[in-house]
Amino acid sequence: MDYKDTNAASTTITYDKGAIEAPTDNIYEAISIIAKRATQINSDLKKELVEKLDEFATYNDSLEEVFENKEQIEVSKFYERLPKPTALAVEEWLNDKVYHRTPDAE
């Protein structure tokens, strides 16, 4: 999924409790599902960021030399400006983009 083209809030906002718990009728279950999705989004974003930063990596044996790579800084700033994974997960939850199921109790 493309997390860059999203309408998720970049700051903290208040959500309607009824809208959050509507799909499951249980606020705790809904929050648990949102938290698991946020963890998935976070790992995807981290993997993508590491791959992009590795393109600009310079390897040397000298610890005294520190290079500031402008491209690395710009990529890092871009990812810092993205909405947090929890905001992305809540937006997906409210727009019914998260698939969830409850295993049948035996």
Side-chain angles (χ1 to χ4, degrees):
M1 179 174 179
D2 191 17
Y3 302 116
K4 295 155 198 75
D5 299 327
T6 183
N7 295 328
S10 58
T11 60
T12 304
I13 63 170
T14 304
Y15 293 100
D16 179 26
K17 177 182 166 267
I20 297 285
E21 71 180 3
T24 60
D25 294 325
N26 186 335
I27 189 70
Y28 301 108
E29 185 177 350
I31 290 173
S32 175
I33 294 167
I34 293 169
K36 288 178 185 177
R37 179 63 185 138
T39 302
Q40 292 172 345
I41 292 171
N42 189 40
S43 66
D44 290 345
L45 287 174
K46 183 176 180 181
K47 179 182 171 190
E48 186 177 317
L49 175 62
V50 168
E51 288 174 358
K52 287 188 179 190
L53 290 178
D54 280 345
E55 294 174 7
F56 304 112
T58 57
Y59 301 103
N60 59 1
D61 294 334
S62 176
L63 294 176
E64 289 100 24
E65 294 182 45
V66 176
F67 297 104
E68 287 188 9
N69 191 336
K70 300 294 184 195
E71 291 86 10
Q72 275 183 320
I73 294 170
E74 290 301 316
V75 168
S76 295
K77 284 183 179 181
F78 173 78
Y79 278 92
E80 286 176 2
R81 280 187 238 116
L82 286 176
K84 302 296 180 214
T86 50
L88 294 168
V90 169
E91 180 197 16
E92 288 181 359
W93 179 256
L94 293 175
N95 293 330
D96 295 326
K97 294 181 181 177
V98 176
Y99 171 75
H100 65 92
R101 64 183 174 87
T102 305
D104 295 331
E106 293 183 21

